[in-house]
Amino acid sequence: MTSKRSQATTDSVYRTGSISKSLVAYVIMLLVQDNTIELDGAIEEYLPEVKKIKGYRETPKITFRLLASHMSGLANEPQVPQKIGSVDNWESLLLEVFPNAYFEARPDEQYIYSNLAFGILGLALTRATNKALPDLLSSKVFEPMSMQNTFYKIPISKKGNIAIGRLGGSIGCYNEEKPLKELAGRGWATSSGGVWSTANDLAKFVISLMGFKSDLKKEYLNIMQTTKSKSTNWEENYGLGLFTYKDSIIHRIGHEGIAPGYRANFAYEKDTKYGVVILRNYTWGSTDLKLRSTLLLRRLKKVQIKNNK
């Protein structure tokens, strides 16, 4: 791991938290594009174990689209302490929590942000492709986009680039113990929040989401970027693995990630194609990453409008 006094670079490795959801959603759309799965296909076709979740109903069935848009009705997390496990056993840890998971609403009725939903998606994708999740994302996203420093399990050769995570920040005491424990994996939350990456690599992903150098056709990118959960609360406007926000100046697309010791954010302005990636190795601080990226995109958009006059 990097020295505590080492200066961060664009190749420093950080836990990205829920930005993992955007990567998983991108893979979903690639598999829909090549007809491996159907976006409105029932999850139970690949993962019949979901029937063990409290409140599960035969109709309406939960689908890839409902899970990826946080419209499945599932609660955020199951009522059980999270076990820290390796990337190699995250699937069994996920299946263990199903009896303690529950629905807060009927599918397709209410936006409820759910880490569990993306855990289910990750396991359903492995069943549909017969590939472990890390291998699936490597073959579909990391390798095609030359994201050479992005992974679920950090190779020994890359451990020297890890930014040491600190649970705390400017408004609390530092705690490095829990982030260190999660180096091996995030238990059942691996699919929803387990990816490690760098500013350089996430910039490549953002460029692909913008439609440049992307294996995903424009129609499928647009599906990801179109809100399913319309709301007056801008934080509840969610497409598939992406938050969306639009006002009279900007059309912002992106996602934030939080994990013990880390906070991450990426955003881009859909019309101008400006993008921002912000990563830090402490949890709490006075800088709101989502607000900061939004203000920067707004400023850049105004500059472009002025220059075009």
Side-chain angles (χ1 to χ4, degrees):
M1 300 179 74
T2 58
S3 163
K4 292 184 179 181
R5 294 184 179 274
S6 297
Q7 185 173 355
T9 73
T10 53
D11 288 323
S12 296
V13 178
Y14 297 78
R15 178 80 79 182
T16 67
S18 288
I19 287 176
S20 308
K21 295 178 173 69
S22 302
L23 293 159
V24 168
Y26 190 90
V27 171
I28 289 172
M29 298 312 296
L30 286 171
L31 295 176
V32 170
Q33 180 176 268
D34 68 17
N35 296 315
T36 299
I37 61 173
E38 293 182 2
L39 192 54
D40 293 310
I43 286 294
E44 65 182 49
E45 179 181 343
Y46 303 97
L47 193 60
E49 293 94 333
V50 295
K51 296 179 182 180
K52 296 179 181 179
I53 297 174
K54 297 175 185 176
Y56 183 85
R57 299 178 177 87
E58 290 298 326
T59 57
K61 295 184 183 296
I62 55 173
T63 64
F64 287 96
R65 189 194 302 269
L66 293 177
L67 289 165
S69 60
H70 296 302
M71 292 292 293
S72 67
L74 281 166
N76 184 18
E77 297 192 353
Q79 295 177 315
V80 62
Q82 183 173 328
K83 292 181 181 179
I84 303 300
S86 74
V87 175
D88 298 323
N89 73 342
W90 80 272
E91 296 177 4
S92 60
L93 293 176
L94 176 67
L95 293 173
E96 279 183 22
V97 305
F98 279 6
N100 294 296
Y102 61 99
F103 287 83
E104 288 188 353
R106 287 177 62 84
D108 206 24
E109 287 188 355
Q110 183 180 345
Y111 169 85
I112 301 171
Y113 188 88
S114 177
N115 287 321
L116 180 61
F118 272 82
I120 291 171
L121 283 170
L123 184 48
L125 293 179
T126 67
R127 297 274 182 88
T129 61
N130 292 315
K131 279 190 175 183
L133 189 65
D135 296 334
L136 179 61
L137 265 76
S138 291
S139 63
K140 291 290 187 180
V141 183
F142 305 157
E143 291 173 10
M145 295 185 191
S146 297
M147 296 171 67
Q148 298 174 349
N149 294 301
T150 303
F151 10 71
Y152 279 99
K153 184 188 293 186
I154 300 177
I156 294 175
S157 62
K158 301 291 184 179
K159 287 189 175 180
N161 295 336
I162 299 173
I164 300 171
R166 295 175 172 86
L167 184 59
S170 61
I171 60 173
C173 298
Y174 285 138
N175 177 347
E176 298 175 3
E177 185 177 346
K178 186 170 183 180
L180 283 172
K181 284 182 178 179
E182 292 198 359
L183 278 176
R186 300 204 66 203
W188 68 261
T190 291
S191 175
S192 60
V195 171
W196 295 88
S197 193
T198 67
N200 264 340
D201 277 8
L202 287 179
K204 295 173 184 177
F205 179 55
V206 171
I207 288 169
S208 291
L209 288 174
M210 290 176 178
F212 302 107
K213 301 179 180 179
S214 178
D215 290 333
L216 199 56
K217 295 177 181 177
K218 185 176 180 179
E219 63 182 287
Y220 296 104
L221 286 170
N222 285 337
I223 291 172
M224 288 184 69
Q225 299 172 48
T226 302
T227 182
K228 169 73 174 173
S229 50
K230 293 181 179 179
S231 169
T232 55
N233 181 347
W234 75 287
E235 292 190 359
E236 293 184 0
N237 283 304
Y238 204 87
L240 301 182
L242 294 169
F243 283 100
T244 72
Y245 170 73
K246 189 174 184 179
D247 61 25
S248 60
I249 298 175
I250 65 170
H251 188 175
R252 177 194 189 277
I253 311 286
H255 214 292
E256 189 168 30
I258 304 171
Y262 299 92
R263 200 151 190 146
N265 183 276
F266 80 82
Y268 58 96
E269 212 285 322
K270 189 174 182 181
D271 301 322
T272 60
K273 307 299 185 183
Y274 287 118
V276 181
V277 176
I278 308 174
L279 304 173
R280 75 182 187 204
N281 60 327
Y282 58 95
T283 312
W284 303 306
S286 58
T287 302
D288 185 320
L289 302 191
K290 186 187 299 181
L291 178 60
R292 183 58 57 90
S293 63
T294 302
L295 292 175
L296 179 56
L297 290 174
R298 188 187 301 274
R299 186 178 302 173
L300 290 168
K301 180 71 172 285
K302 287 180 176 179
V303 169
Q304 186 180 71
I305 292 172
K306 182 179 179 180
N307 290 339
N308 289 339
K309 287 183 177 179

